[in-house]
Amino acid sequence: MILAAFRHLSILSIGGVAGILFPSLMFAAEFGYRFGRRIASRKSEKSTDLAASATLTTGMIGLLAFTLSLSINFAQDRFEARRDLVLAEANAISTAWLRANLIDGAESAVLAAEIEEYARVALAYTTAESNADIPGLVERMGALQAGIWRSMGMIARHASNPVTIALASALNDMFDLFTSQRFAYQSHVPTNIVLMLYLEALATIGALGYQLGLGGDRHIVLTTLLLMMWSGGMILIMDLNQPRIGSIRADASPLIWTIRGFGGPAQMH
């Protein structure tokens, strides 16, 4: 239940996550500090407790840093995959269009026009700002793929030569890359890893607050800066992990350049 709720929150809004993350870490730090002050007030010997809590807290911070680094690497790898596939798809579309224009006849002109429309739908898919738009774009892309392949079949029946074989191969690569792109956009850092990172952060910050409570000094400025840094790192993961609603998105420039190469406007939907 907790995992499902966290998954829903993580895809709802980056701002919503930020609005919950930092205050919850502040609460954990304050709770740990107050608990530490209560324990310290009941004991006369503090040096042993301080040394032990410092050792344990250092270990927890190290583990949290490792988990944060691992999660950022996961998210960055998925972002890089989406970005690389945009370039690869644009190149495949351009290659297919150029090969279609090597063939004479009205059928090749129809095919080239279909490839141009395909590129525009691919651009709309890449730049879509809501997951609600995706089913319609995928359906449109499927219809275009079917139409393009029918046109390819008509060309192949009338002119079977190395050029048409190369064109068919380019179209197949173009279709495969869109499938790869769909998979890349649906691939995220596992929610249970992000949830584990959040729970580890709460526990670690709480332990840090407890240690400060034992010592009797809040260090408000440094603690606040630390929490801001941890929150920023976790928000970065959320941002990279959401290609539609995040601010860090795959650059669609290669597709725009390809469409401009057709001689038509590249429209961002």
Side-chain angles (χ1 to χ4, degrees), residues 49-88:
D49 288 345
L50 278 173
S53 65
T55 301
L56 294 174
T57 302
T58 300
M60 294 176 69
I61 291 176
L63 179 60
L64 178 60
F66 171 77
T67 306
L68 180 65
S69 175
L70 189 65
S71 301
I72 290 178
N73 285 335
F74 281 163
Q76 183 180 6
D77 286 345
R78 283 152 177 79
F79 169 76
E80 294 289 347
R82 292 191 294 268
R83 188 181 67 171
D84 292 344
L85 283 169
V86 170
L87 177 59

Side-chain angles (χ1 to χ4, degrees), residues 52-226:
S53 65
T55 301
L56 294 174
T57 302
T58 300
M60 294 176 69
I61 291 176
L63 179 60
L64 178 60
F66 171 77
T67 306
L68 180 65
S69 175
L70 189 65
S71 301
I72 290 178
N73 285 335
F74 281 163
Q76 183 180 6
D77 286 345
R78 283 152 177 79
F79 169 76
E80 294 289 347
R82 292 191 294 268
R83 188 181 67 171
D84 292 344
L85 283 169
V86 170
L87 177 59
E89 186 176 31
N91 287 335
I93 292 172
S94 179
T95 299
W97 183 80
L98 290 171
R99 290 178 181 176
N101 281 282
L102 288 175
I103 302 173
D104 295 328
E107 292 170 347
S108 64
V110 171
L111 177 59
E114 289 175 331
I115 294 173
E116 292 176 14
E117 179 61 21
Y118 183 95
R120 293 186 178 91
V121 177
L123 175 61
Y125 179 87
T126 302
T127 58
E129 297 184 354
S130 171
N131 290 321
D133 300 330
I134 301 308
L137 291 171
V138 171
E139 183 179 357
R140 175 60 178 155
M141 190 64 85
L144 282 170
Q145 288 179 352
I148 288 172
W149 203 246
R150 282 194 300 269
S151 298
M152 180 66 236
M154 295 175 64
I155 293 174
R157 282 192 292 271
H158 292 118
S160 180
N161 53 56
V163 175
T164 57
I165 294 173
L167 173 58
S169 177
L171 292 174
N172 188 63
D173 291 342
M174 187 175 75
F175 296 162
D176 289 346
L177 282 167
F178 179 71
T179 301
S180 299
Q181 187 74 297
R182 285 187 63 190
F183 180 74
Y185 268 85
Q186 293 178 3
S187 179
H188 306 285
V189 178
T191 307
N192 53 353
I193 292 181
V194 181
L195 177 60
M196 179 182 68
L197 175 63
Y198 176 62
L199 295 177
E200 282 186 9
L202 288 177
T204 301
I205 297 304
L208 179 62
Y210 174 78
Q211 180 186 348
L212 294 177
L214 289 178
D217 194 346
R218 286 180 179 270
H219 294 289
I220 295 177
V221 174
L222 294 178
T223 301
T224 302
L225 290 175
L226 176 64

